Each structure stands twice: as structure tokens, then as C-alpha cells.
Amino acid sequence: MSQAILERLKERYEDGVVETATERGDDCAVLKREILVDVCRFLKDDADFAMNLFVDVTAVDWLDRRTPRFDVVFQLKSITKRHRVTLKVRVDDGDDAWVPSVTGVWRGADWFERELWDMFGVRVDGHPNLRRILMWDGFEGHPLRKDYPVAGRQPLVPLRKSEVHVFENNPVDPFVVGLGVVREKSDGDA
Amino acid sequence: MGLNNGESSGAGLLEGSVMVTRLDEVTKPGGAQGIINWGRRWSIFQYPFVTACCGMEYMSWMCSHYDPGRFGAEAPRFSPRQADVMFVVGTISHKQAPVLKRVYDQMCEPKWVIAFGACASSGGFYDNYATVQGVDCIVPVDVYIPGCPPRPEAVLDAVMLLQEKIDREGPERWARREAASK
Ligand code: SF4
């Protein structure tokens, strides 16, 4: 069914639709940022499409492989019509890393957009409360960006050094039985 | 159970659930340790710090089929001040680490920690920005239980091993602990 959505969008927004693709029944439209909110409102309000469920917004980071760097991906679904569509907006790094908020269309997009900001550092313009949602205040960087260091840890409490050794008189051979292993700490905890 | 009162404590014999000893054994310096340890190891009140899927196995272990009541460990305490052992069950994120540390600090001595499952012991397969690579990075751990999640039998084994550990403890533990906390 939903290929009709792509046709309709192309007809209605012409140049605003950069690209469309259909893969095994899943339809996707790449949009210009300017028309995103308008398209969303149209897809929600139009009786034929009735996209009444905002499923998710996330991003794909194409670091060093493509400019603009990010695809911001919106997943929409219609509960009543039982169809769905994917919308994408391409944004670049730095000042260009922003999308308009769709919280005005679906209130439920709020936390997803905060997650988008938190994980990818894509700002959401017009969001009522754009704070981190999963990581804590004071966390540096955005962990799902491809240039976030793989071993980048930002602990909130000082980490103990743990020097672990297997406790000598353990009557159970942990390697034979494979169950609980008792170990002692060298810091006086034994 | 093989958990009789070892010679080291010198405080007497354990016969069934009765401790037989002599008054002078108890009153000599350190003599009561065997009895104290005996009491402690059969009344392990746990604080369940349950965060993730291991919790399912924890619930299974806590119910009548595996019956931790056999080890005096059936009573969960949801106030850390009443708990002896903290069971860290599940994945601990860095965001949650201060909470875990605080709960641990609120527990009264003597206290022990069991790391339940791969995540609590080592971070499990979550080697990423969010996850603490084993709760021993935050609090000292006494027993580690492998498994994702562990079998309830493994948890019983861990409790028995903790009992043995408690049984070997003497007053020097507290001195060492105090030194370590400075
Ligand atoms: S060890 Fe496995 S079962 Fe337990 S919390 Fe981690 S992922 Fe879940």
C-alpha cells in the first residue's frame, strides 16, 4: 500500500523529496529538512495515510564515508491503516547537525528526540526540553557517534583497583564444577 | 554440609543446629568468634540490587523450589541498613554506579557482596561506554557467580561458599577493613 505514500509525497512536495526507495515492502523517502514538519503533519492528518504512531527517530553516522554525515531516520506507522513509512533527513556535522522538532505533531516524539541529541549530538530545533535522556549531565560527547572512542568511559564514582586472586583453600575446584567461584581481595577485605 | 565449625575458631562443636562449647572457650579473647560466625553465616539477610535479566534467575532461586531458607538466606531486606549481603544482580551502568556505592556504604558491617552473573562480575558482553566492567570496580566483592544468567544451583553454591568465607573470619578482618577504607 504505502508506495502510494511515496507517490503522493513526490507529487505534493516535488523537489522537497530528494530520493525514494522501496525494499521488500518497506518504503523510504529522503526529504529536505525544510519540509519535514510539514510532511509529518500531512501524513498524520491525511485520512488515507493516518500516521498516528510515531515509532522512533534515530540516526546513522556515515563518518568519513559520506557528506552530509548523518541520516536522521524517522519511523512512522499507522495503527488504523496498518502501514508504515520511513523518512530520512540528511544533515551534516557541526552547525548543520540539527533537525526541526516534530513534537508539535506527535507529543510522543519528545523522549526520542532527546535520545537523538544524547546519542548522536543532532540538535532538535524547537524541542521543549532538549536535555540528555540516557547519559548524565556532564557526560562529554555523544556515544553513538562513530568518532566516540570505543574505550571511552566516564565513570561517576572513582573506580577501585581490583586485584583478584583465587582463594587458596577453596574446597570446590571452580574449573571442575564450574559453579560459584570464591575469590579474595588483596585490599584487606578477606 | 561440611560446614562445621573449623578448628581455627576453637569454640566448640556444631551438632545439628546446636552449638556445643564451654564457657571459657567463649570468654577467652577471640573465643566467641566461632559462635558469632556461626550465627552470621546462617542468617544471611540479603539486599537484592536487581537491575536486569539475571533478576529472573534470582527470583527463581528465591522461591521454594531452590529454597534459600535452607541456608538462612531467604529474607530479602529492602533497607540496606538491615542487610548483610548485597546481591548485585544484573548489569550496572556508570549512571547507576553512585547509587550502588551509596547503598553499599549504608549497609552496616559486617557486610558482603555477591556479584550475580556475568554482567555484575565483569560487565559481561557489554564492553561499552555505559557499563561498569564488574561491580568490583566500585565495591569489594566476595563471591562471583559466572553465568548469563547463572543457574540457581550456582547461586546456592555461591551462598555456601560465602558461608565458608564467613566462617573463617576473625577480628583481624575488621582491622584490615578499617585500614583499607582509609
Ligand atoms: S549476565 Fe546475562 S542474564 Fe545476567 S544481567 Fe547480564 S545479560 Fe542479563
Side-chain angles (χ1 to χ4, degrees):
Chain A
M1 142 77 199
S2 54
Q3 239 176 332
I5 297 178
L6 302 183
E7 295 311 316
R8 187 77 187 276
L9 288 180
K10 275 193 262 188
E11 195 179 291
R12 196 177 146 101
Y13 293 96
E14 294 168 353
D15 288 354
V17 180
V18 182
E19 218 177 278
T20 59
T22 300
E23 175 72 29
R24 292 165 208 255
D26 282 332
D27 305 285
C28 172
V30 182
L31 307 174
K32 286 193 175 153
R33 179 162 51 196
E34 303 81 74
I35 63 163
L36 175 71
V37 177
D38 201 53
V39 170
C40 288
R41 199 175 301 281
F42 167 68
L43 290 179
K44 184 185 175 196
D45 293 343
D46 189 275
D48 289 342
F49 301 134
M51 292 291 180
N52 50 8
L53 180 69
F54 180 87
V55 180
D56 195 13
V57 54
T58 183
V60 181
D61 185 355
W62 294 96
L63 178 69
D64 298 336
R65 291 170 64 189
R66 199 195 73 188
T67 327
R69 177 173 167 181
F70 297 101
D71 274 333
V72 180
V73 185
F74 297 79
Q75 308 282 359
L76 311 181
K77 185 173 172 65
S78 170
I79 305 268
T80 46
K81 301 280 179 186
R82 298 187 190 156
H83 58 211
R84 62 188 174 196
V85 69
T86 303
L87 305 179
K88 290 185 185 174
V89 174
R90 291 179 180 155
V91 305
D92 204 8
D93 210 356
D95 283 348
D96 192 57
W98 68 275
V99 287
S101 173
V102 296
T103 46
V105 185
W106 297 278
R107 190 71 188 87
D110 184 333
W111 286 8
F112 296 100
E113 292 182 345
R114 282 175 64 185
E115 189 188 7
L116 176 70
W117 158 246
D118 193 1
M119 293 289 124
F120 288 96
V122 175
R123 289 184 312 282
V124 183
D125 211 41
H127 189 283
N129 179 26
L130 192 65
R131 291 182 296 131
R132 287 185 181 277
I133 187 167
L134 295 171
M135 309 319 283
W136 48 95
D137 292 335
F139 188 90
E140 278 176 40
H142 301 279
L144 293 192
R145 284 189 167 207
K146 293 280 183 230
D147 50 5
Y148 187 87
V150 172
R153 305 292 156 86
Q154 303 183 32
L156 284 174
V157 292
L159 298 185
R160 311 162 68 237
K161 276 233 167 52
S162 77
E163 196 193 322
V164 172
H165 62 92
V166 175
F167 136 55
E168 310 150 51
N169 304 323
N170 188 351
V172 181
D173 179 347
F175 300 105
V176 174
V177 182
L179 297 178
V181 183
V182 174
R183 288 160 167 177
E184 282 182 318
K185 298 287 178 208
S186 58
D187 65 1
D189 176 58
Chain B
M1 303 246 110
L3 293 174
N4 63 347
N5 179 44
E7 297 106 53
S8 55
S9 63
L13 288 170
L14 185 68
E15 293 184 354
S17 54
V18 177
M19 172 76 81
V20 181
T21 187
R22 293 205 327 259
L23 187 62
D24 58 341
E25 286 287 353
V26 179
T27 48
K28 75 182 187 194
Q33 196 63 44
I35 290 182
I36 292 173
N37 287 348
W38 176 63
R40 282 179 179 162
R41 74 174 191 268
W42 294 107
S43 65
I44 299 171
F45 282 22
Q46 356 146 4
Y47 181 92
F49 197 99
V50 180
T51 57
C53 22
C54 268
M56 292 297 143
E57 213 64 29
Y58 175 80
M59 290 170 220
S60 148
W61 170 70
M62 274 299 284
C63 292
S64 49
H65 192 82
Y66 293 97
D67 192 15
R70 292 177 290 160
F71 305 91
E74 80 278 31
R77 296 282 117 183
F78 297 102
S79 162
R81 294 175 209 285
Q82 298 173 347
D84 304 308
V85 178
M86 178 157 71
F87 272 67
V88 186
V89 182
T91 325
I92 302 296
S93 64
H94 281 297
K95 195 172 178 179
Q96 203 169 25
V99 180
L100 179 80
K101 177 91 173 79
R102 183 158 179 190
V103 169
Y104 178 77
D105 289 345
Q106 286 173 333
M107 288 168 65
C108 299
E109 293 280 4
K111 54 185 171 183
W112 298 272
V113 178
I114 289 182
F116 186 121
C119 287
S121 302
S122 68
F125 46 78
Y126 302 108
D127 185 1
N128 61 24
Y129 59 92
T131 309
V132 175
Q133 300 299 293
V135 289
D136 53 5
C137 296
I138 309 167
V139 296
V141 174
D142 295 275
V143 186
Y144 299 79
I145 313 175
C148 177
R151 295 277 310 158
E153 290 87 343
V155 187
L156 289 176
D157 192 38
V159 169
M160 285 158 64
L161 289 169
L162 181 68
Q163 286 184 317
E164 282 176 39
K165 186 171 183 181
I166 294 172
D167 200 34
R168 295 197 330 259
E169 284 176 351
E172 62 297 346
R173 168 188 168 108
W174 315 116
R176 271 188 284 148
R177 218 173 226 244
E178 215 154 88
S181 65
K182 277 179 190 137

